[in-house]
Amino acid sequence: MKLDQIETPAALIDRPRMMRNIERMQAHMNALGVAFRPHVKTSKCVDVARAQRDAGARGITVSTLKEAEQFFAAGFSDILYAVGMVASKLPRALALKQSGCDLKLIVDNLESARGVAEFGRLHGVTFEVWIEIDTDGHRSGVKPGEARLIDIGRALHQDGARLGGVLTHAGSSYELNTAESLAALAEQERAGCVQAAERLREAGLPCDVVSVGSTPTALAARHLEGVTEVRAGVYVFFDLVMRNVGVCNMADLALSVLTTVIGHQADKGGAILDAGWMAMSRDRGTAKQTHDYGYGQPCTLDGSPLEGYTLTAANQEHGILANTGHPDGDITAHLPVGTRLLILPNHACATGAQYPAYHARLGADEIEVWDRFYGW
Amino acid sequence: MKLDQIETPAALIDRPRMMRNIERMQAHMNALGVAFRPHVKTSKCVDVARAQRDAGARGITVSTLKEAEQFFAAGFSDILYAVGMVASKLPRALALKQSGCDLKLIVDNLESARGVAEFGRLHGVTFEVWIEIDTDGHRSGVKPGEARLIDIGRALHQDGARLGGVLTHAGSSYELNTAESLAALAEQERAGCVQAAERLREAGLPCDVVSVGSTPTALAARHLEGVTEVRAGVYVFFDLVMRNVGVCNMADLALSVLTTVIGHQADKGGAILDAGWMAMSRDRGTAKQTHDYGYGQPCTLDGSPLEGYTLTAANQEHGILANTGHPDGDITAHLPVGTRLLILPNHACATGAQYPAYHARLGADEIEVWDRFYGW
C-alpha cells in the first residue's frame, strides 16, 4: 500500500522516527543501568510493543486489564497493570494469573491491599503487588514517609499476595519545560521511591523492585541509584506537548494524522480538513504551554511543518486550518480541495485512541497496517 | 445483566430518558410539519437509530462513510453523508450506491460538484447531491446570496449527478444560551436556507429538499416555512453543554459514565476514579460556558447529581473528583474505595466515541449491551 491509497483521516506512524525514539530511550536506560518497561497504553498496538521489546525492553506496563489480556494473548507475559486495583476488577486479574500471565498489580491504600490478599487466598493464587508511591503530589500513591506505607506492605506480605516492590510516576513533569527542572524532578522521583523501598526493607519486608518514570523524567534522569526499572510511554511517538516540555524536536514526532482538504473559508483564510476532533481527539494539552498548537501542527507529506499554520478549530469531522499570524488570502490556491497534509497531534496517546489501526510508513512509500484496540 | 455486574468504566444509556428525548424532538417536528432526519454520529449505534426511526424519523444523517456502510448493512437506506465530498472518497460512495443505498452527498464548492458529476458519468451512476449553505459563518457552505451557488447548482444538474436540495447547519447555536437568541438563530438558519433554495429554483434548477438543523435551533424553531426536513444529533442523549445552552434539564441527560472509586487524595479532599479522559473524552466544552463542569458532573447511581462535586481533572485512566466549593475533608468516608458513581459528560458525541458498546439501562435494574462502532 502507498500513501496516496490511504483513505483519510488516518493515523500515520513514521517508523524510522519511532525506531529512533525507541533506540534513544533504551540506550539511555542501558547507560543508567536499569531495566526498561515501556507503557503500552500509548500505542495499544502489538507491532509497536514488539519493536520496543526487540530493542531491549523487559516487560510492559498497561493502563487497562483489556491491554493486559490483549498483550498476553500476543505473547507478552511480564505485565504491570499500573492503575490502583479495586475488588470489582479482581476476577479478570485472577483469570489472567490462572492462564499463566505474570501479572503485577498496584495498590495505594490498606483496604485495596487487604482485598487483593484476601481474594488471592480465597482462590489459591498469590498476586504480586507493588505499592504506588506519591513523589510529586500529582495524583495517587502513598507518600514515602507515611506510616501507612508499612501497614500496606504488611497486608501484602501474607498468603494470597506477595509484596513485589514500589513504583511511582512523576506526572507533574508534563508541566515543566527546562532541563534543570526536569532533572530535579527526576531526582525527586528517584529519591522518594528509593526512600519508600528502604523503609519497607527496614521493616523487614521484601522490596525487590523500585520502578519510576514518566517520559520527561526518564530522559532527564542523570543517575538512578537504587532504582531497578523505569517506565515511560509517549516517548515512542512523542508529540507537541513533549516538544513544549523540551524532551524532543519536531522531527522526532512519529505519529501524525493524514488528512484531506475538503473545502475553504476563503473570506477568513481558512481551509477545511476532514480531520476534526474525532480524528485529532479533543486534547488541547498545548493550550497552557509556551506554544499553543491549537488542535495540531500541519505539515506537508514529507513531514515538514507548514510554518505559521495551525489547526485552529475542530468540529466532529471538520478541522479548520489557518495561518494565525498572517491570514492567507489565497488559501484556495495554496491548499486546493484534495490537498493532503499531515497534522502532528498535541497528545499521541489521545489521538491514537481514535483509530482502529495505524498506518505505519516503513520507508519512503511503503505502508503497513498495524491494528490497535480500545475499550476496557 | 444488572448494574453491579458491569465492569467500569462503562458508557450507560438511560433508555427511559433517551425515549423521552426522542419523543420530544419528534413531536416538535411533527407540530412544525417537517420531516426529521436524526444525525446518528452521536450514537453510532443501530439500536439507538432504530428507536429514532420507530418514533417517526425519516432517513438518517451520517458524518463518515463508515457510518453509512454500517447503517446501510443494518437496514437503513435513506442516508445523507453530511460532510463535503472529495474525489478520494467517491469510490466508497459509488460502492454504496451500487449496493442499492439511497445515499445523498453534499458539496460546497464548484470543484467538488464537477468532480462528483464527472465520476458519476464515468461509472454510469447518478449521485444525488445537496448543496451546503452557510447561514451563520460558522464552518462550511456557500452563503445564500453568493453567485457561485448557481454555478454549483448547474454543475450538479447534468449527467452523473442530480441536484437534490440544500442543507445548512447553524453550529454557532452551541455558543448561545437564551431562548430568544436561539429562536433568532433558528429563523436565520431557516431563512438563509430557504433563500438559497429559491435562488436555485429561480435559476431553473430543481431544489426539492430544504434541510436545516442543529439540536438547539431544531428545538427553538417557532416555524419552518419552506423547510422540508430538520436534522439534529445530540438531542438523543443531551449533555452538559446542551444544558448550559438551555435546551434540556439535568434530568434529561441520558448518557453517563459508570465509574468506581479506586483511591483518594485525602489531604486535598479528592477521590480518584477509574474514569479518566479515555473514559470521558478530553472534551471541555463547558469550560467557556456559564457553568464549567470540569470533565463531568458526578451523580449517584439513581442519576441524582452530587451537588458541589465535579470531575476536576483527568489523566488517561484516572479522574479526580472533588467538591470545588467546600473541600471534602472526610471524602474517604463519604466515597470509600469501591463506591460506584455516574458521571454526566460535557459532550455525549465525544464520550460515547470512546466505547465499543453502550450499556443500556432499560428499567430499574435491567441492562442490555448495545454495540457501537468507530473509525472511518
Side-chain angles (χ1 to χ4, degrees), chain A residues 8-321:
Chain A
T8 59
L12 202 69
I13 292 174
D14 183 315
R15 188 175 181 278
R17 289 184 179 192
M18 180 189 90
M19 293 308 293
R20 279 206 311 273
N21 298 339
I22 290 173
E23 284 153 21
R24 175 185 166 202
M25 180 65 85
Q26 189 64 51
H28 187 52
M29 295 299 111
N30 294 348
L32 291 171
V34 292
F36 180 59
R37 181 188 292 278
H39 206 319
V40 297
K41 76 180 175 78
T42 299
S43 71
K44 302 201 186 192
C45 172
V46 169
D47 301 88
V48 173
R50 282 191 184 131
Q52 292 169 303
R53 185 173 62 185
D54 291 347
R58 284 187 253 163
I60 57 171
T61 313
V62 300
S63 69
T64 64
L65 287 172
K66 182 158 188 178
E67 288 165 57
E69 291 158 355
Q70 295 271 327
F71 282 98
F72 179 60
F76 292 79
S77 183
D78 177 358
I79 300 177
L80 167 68
Y81 172 48
V83 177
M85 198 63 195
V86 281
S88 57
K89 297 188 207 286
L90 279 166
R92 275 174 90 178
L94 177 68
L96 277 162
K97 287 286 285 185
Q98 289 176 332
S99 304
C101 179
D102 179 16
L103 181 71
K104 286 97 170 172
L105 308 178
I106 73 167
V107 301
D108 75 347
N109 61 81
L110 194 54
E111 185 178 351
S112 294
R114 286 178 177 150
V116 172
E118 189 182 325
F119 190 84
R121 277 195 299 279
L122 197 64
H123 294 276
V125 162
T126 301
F127 286 107
E128 178 172 345
V129 188
W130 300 1
I131 303 176
E132 186 174 13
I133 308 299
D134 177 10
T135 52
D136 68 346
H138 173 66
R139 189 170 69 197
S140 37
V142 183
K143 292 190 175 55
E146 275 187 85
R148 63 184 180 127
L149 173 65
I150 309 303
D151 301 331
I152 296 170
R154 290 203 178 109
L156 294 170
H157 189 54
Q158 49 183 284
D159 282 359
R162 186 170 79 79
L163 176 57
V166 288
L167 92 165
T168 191
H169 165 63
S172 62
S173 59
Y174 280 47
E175 294 154 23
L176 306 177
N177 61 7
T178 66
E180 274 313 305
S181 61
L182 286 169
L185 184 60
E187 173 54 17
Q188 177 182 322
E189 185 183 44
R190 181 203 70 79
C193 206
V194 168
Q195 181 197 343
E198 285 169 354
R199 284 192 59 222
L200 289 165
R201 290 174 193 139
E202 283 161 15
L205 293 164
C207 187
D208 291 342
V209 175
V210 179
S211 175
V212 305
S214 73
T215 285
T217 52
L219 291 168
R222 290 171 186 170
H223 82 93
L224 287 172
E225 211 178 307
V227 166
T228 65
E229 69 162 38
V230 170
R231 308 175 326 280
V234 77
Y235 80 95
V236 72
F237 295 145
F238 285 123
D239 53 29
L240 295 168
V241 165
M242 285 296 117
R243 200 220 173 198
N244 274 333
V245 170
V247 293
C248 64
N249 296 312
M250 202 66 114
D252 297 323
L253 272 57
L255 180 70
S256 62
V257 170
L258 181 68
T259 181
T260 305
V261 175
I262 61 168
H264 295 93
Q265 295 180 332
D267 51 339
K268 297 181 194 168
I272 301 175
L273 310 179
D274 66 356
W277 58 252
M278 192 65 85
M280 299 307 302
S281 91
R282 268 289 193 202
D283 198 285
R284 289 282 292 104
T286 60
K288 290 178 181 173
Q289 294 186 306
T290 47
H291 188 131
D292 182 352
Y293 289 97
Y295 281 93
Q297 171 62 52
C299 301
T300 54
L301 292 185
D302 67 358
S304 308
L306 281 174
E307 293 300 336
Y309 291 82
T310 303
L311 202 58
T312 55
N315 295 153
Q316 186 157 337
E317 297 292 347
H318 298 78
I320 309 293
L321 178 156

Side-chain angles (χ1 to χ4, degrees), chain B residues 124-261:
Chain B
V125 162
T126 301
F127 286 106
E128 177 171 345
V129 188
W130 300 1
I131 303 175
E132 186 174 13
I133 307 300
D134 177 9
T135 51
D136 67 346
H138 173 67
R139 189 170 69 195
S140 37
V142 183
K143 291 189 176 53
E146 275 188 85
R148 65 186 179 124
L149 173 65
I150 309 301
D151 301 331
I152 296 169
R154 288 202 179 109
L156 295 170
H157 189 54
Q158 49 184 284
D159 281 358
R162 186 171 80 77
L163 176 57
V166 287
L167 92 166
T168 192
H169 166 63
S172 63
S173 59
Y174 281 46
E175 295 155 21
L176 306 177
N177 61 7
T178 66
E180 275 313 305
S181 61
L182 287 169
L185 184 59
E187 172 55 18
Q188 177 182 322
E189 185 184 45
R190 182 204 70 80
C193 206
V194 169
Q195 180 196 343
E198 283 169 355
R199 284 191 59 221
L200 289 165
R201 290 174 193 139
E202 282 160 16
L205 292 164
C207 188
D208 291 343
V209 175
V210 179
S211 175
V212 305
S214 73
T215 286
T217 52
L219 291 168
R222 291 170 186 172
H223 81 95
L224 286 172
E225 210 178 307
V227 167
T228 65
E229 68 162 39
V230 170
R231 309 177 323 283
V234 77
Y235 81 96
V236 72
F237 295 145
F238 285 121
D239 54 28
L240 295 168
V241 165
M242 285 297 116
R243 199 218 172 200
N244 273 332
V245 170
V247 293
C248 64
N249 297 312
M250 204 66 116
D252 297 323
L253 272 57
L255 180 70
S256 62
V257 170
L258 181 68
T259 181
T260 304
V261 175

